Amino acid sequence: MAKRVMNGIDRRRLLKAVGVAGVAGLAGCIGEGPDDGGNGGNGGDEEPEEGGERITWHAGGTDGTYYPLSGEIKNVVDDNTPHVVQVQSTGASVENVGSLNEGTADFALIQNDIAYFAYNGTGLEEFEGNPIESIRGVATLYPETIHIIVSPDANVQSLEDLEGGTVNTGDLGSGTQVNALQILETAGLTTDDFTEQNTGFGTAADQIRDGDVDAAFIVGGWPVGAVEDLATTTEIEILNLDQGTRDALLSDAEWFAEDTIPGGTYEGIDEDVETVSVQAMIATREDLDEGLVEDVTTAIFDNVDQIETKGDFIDVETAQEGMSIDLHPGAEAYFN
């Protein structure tokens, strides 16, 4: 696979901004989510059936989309295979790449851009010159939509209006932070131009509600629970990205795609919001048994009708669109 570059984005500044946090994710900060026995409350005590395996599945924060979707995938795999899935809440994409590389996760949900960076050894400082070639793709699932939440009191009409403000760009080292800094960079803003805050989605929503930040980036398949909850108690706005900004992003970073949050998705947001998205995908590691990966892939895509979270997007016909890394042979056996 040929390596690509981030054309219009100043990669050196972006790497410096997110590198330290990402290194921590790869160096062993796995499992810093809720203290729930390492499984987020999903699958702690079950035992696999005869011939089955206990599968470790790393998701994301409990306020996003990865965690509830992973819980539904767990149920499908548990019900249709002899295996048992343990779902763990994590810091999501970058951290999950680290856990796959270390062998502490069997499967994980990650963004397709983060998978590309890791596999090709580019895009982020911890990957630069240090490709994580052991990760493999299973399937792409659904668009992860970039939500830029602002308070009406902040009077933010464009990305440029965030200069001098306070912005929550997501958890340190997360895919959300990477995307946020890419988008702000496209608008000409670096971390010298605003005060950066870094938390999970739930805390970011609280900061918007309390007026502690001017904007918060939240990346997930709509509707995102943290945004839904916020919109029911607080008046919010979701920033529209104009066509010029979207065109620039698609030119600078080809993993982005145009996306729309339909009006009515969130209380008080009646008009469509134009934005961009990346793809959520299932990844695994090269050394995982081919039969096990095929079992899990088969269970998921033969029973998509049992998945509600983003189920309208998850389909065998589109499961390789946006696949940014080599496919695991077990997944390839199913799709071929």
Side-chain angles (χ1 to χ4, degrees), residues 80-316:
N80 294 279
T81 75
H83 312 299
V84 167
V85 175
Q86 289 182 295
V87 176
Q88 175 160 336
S89 172
T90 72
S93 292
V94 174
E95 182 178 324
N96 289 353
V97 168
S99 59
L100 289 171
N101 186 51
E102 293 173 349
T104 56
D106 300 316
F107 294 87
L109 294 184
I110 59 178
Q111 293 177 194
N112 65 338
D113 57 332
I114 301 302
Y116 177 86
F117 291 156
Y119 186 82
N120 288 280
T122 189
L124 293 174
E125 186 173 26
E126 68 272 29
F127 303 142
E128 192 75 23
N130 183 35
I132 310 299
E133 296 179 340
S134 61
I135 63 170
R136 291 291 182 270
V138 175
T140 54
L141 299 176
Y142 65 89
E144 290 202 89
T145 306
I146 312 294
H147 298 63
I148 308 174
I149 312 299
V150 298
S151 168
D153 295 336
N155 195 28
V156 174
Q157 304 299 320
S158 68
L159 292 171
E160 289 78 7
D161 291 338
L162 293 173
E163 183 172 3
T166 302
V167 182
N168 190 317
T169 61
D171 272 326
L172 282 169
S174 67
T176 297
Q177 187 196 21
V178 173
N179 295 150
L181 295 180
Q182 290 167 348
I183 290 168
L184 291 166
E185 177 84 10
T186 297
L189 301 179
T190 73
T191 50
D192 294 330
D193 298 318
F194 59 90
T195 300
E196 185 178 12
Q197 295 282 314
N198 299 104
T199 72
F201 295 163
T203 301
D206 291 340
Q207 289 180 322
I208 288 286
R209 180 183 295 112
D210 297 338
D212 295 332
V213 297
D214 298 300
F217 281 76
I218 292 178
V219 180
W222 50 260
V224 177
V227 182
E228 281 189 304
D229 293 344
L230 176 65
T232 61
T233 60
T234 304
E235 185 179 357
I236 63 168
E237 295 176 355
I238 304 178
L239 191 63
N240 262 292
L241 296 180
D242 62 71
Q243 188 65 58
T245 298
R246 301 199 305 276
D247 288 345
L249 282 168
L250 270 59
S251 174
D252 290 344
E254 61 189 70
W255 47 85
F256 284 124
E258 293 203 49
D259 202 358
T260 301
I261 303 171
T265 300
Y266 300 108
E267 188 170 326
I269 309 294
D270 298 326
E271 302 295 327
D272 289 353
V273 177
E274 302 303 328
T275 182
V276 293
S277 64
V278 292
Q279 281 279 328
M281 61 177 282
I282 304 171
T284 186
R285 57 178 203 268
E286 180 182 24
D287 63 352
L288 202 62
D289 180 74
E290 181 175 337
L292 177 61
V293 175
E294 185 174 1
D295 284 350
V296 170
T297 308
T298 301
I300 294 169
F301 285 93
D302 281 3
N303 296 281
V304 170
D305 60 332
Q306 298 177 32
I307 297 176
E308 293 186 5
T309 303
K310 310 311 294 180
D312 290 344
F313 295 92
I314 301 172
D315 187 271
V316 67

Side-chain angles (χ1 to χ4, degrees), residues 30-41 59-63 67 87-91 95 171:
I30 311 305
E32 291 184 355
D35 184 10
D36 48 25
N39 57 57
T62 56
D63 294 310
Y67 188 77
V87 176
Q88 175 160 336
S89 172
T90 72
E95 182 178 324
D171 272 326

